[in-house]
Amino acid sequence: MVGYTEATAFDPDVTLGIFRISCIVPLIGFVLVALALIFVYPLSKAKVDANVAYLRAKREGKK
């Protein structure tokens, strides 16, 4: 993908490409997943407490 061969192993463009593939690309993926979780599946303290109360009531047979 970045033109790596034995002859170009220490070429600055190749090493920069390897750096980008191994560090920056996963970072971008992590940020995208984090944003998706924040906006698609928001969990606030109130939401967690409501879920706990619902599960407790369900376990006790009230719902």
Side-chain angles (χ1 to χ4, degrees):
M1 289 177 63
V2 294
Y4 179 83
T5 63
E6 228 178 276
T8 63
F10 296 103
D11 183 22
D13 291 332
V14 173
T15 56
L16 182 62
I18 292 171
F19 171 77
R20 286 182 179 153
I21 289 172
S22 64
C23 295
I24 296 173
V25 172
L27 175 66
I28 292 169
F30 173 77
V31 169
L32 291 175
V33 168
L35 289 173
L37 288 174
I38 289 169
F39 291 111
V40 173
Y41 194 68
L43 281 178
S44 63
K45 177 75 171 144
K47 181 73 171 174
V48 171
D49 290 342
N51 286 342
V52 169
Y54 172 77
L55 290 173
R56 185 176 293 127
K58 188 173 182 178
R59 207 175 300 125
E60 294 171 357
K62 294 182 181 174
K63 283 194 176 191

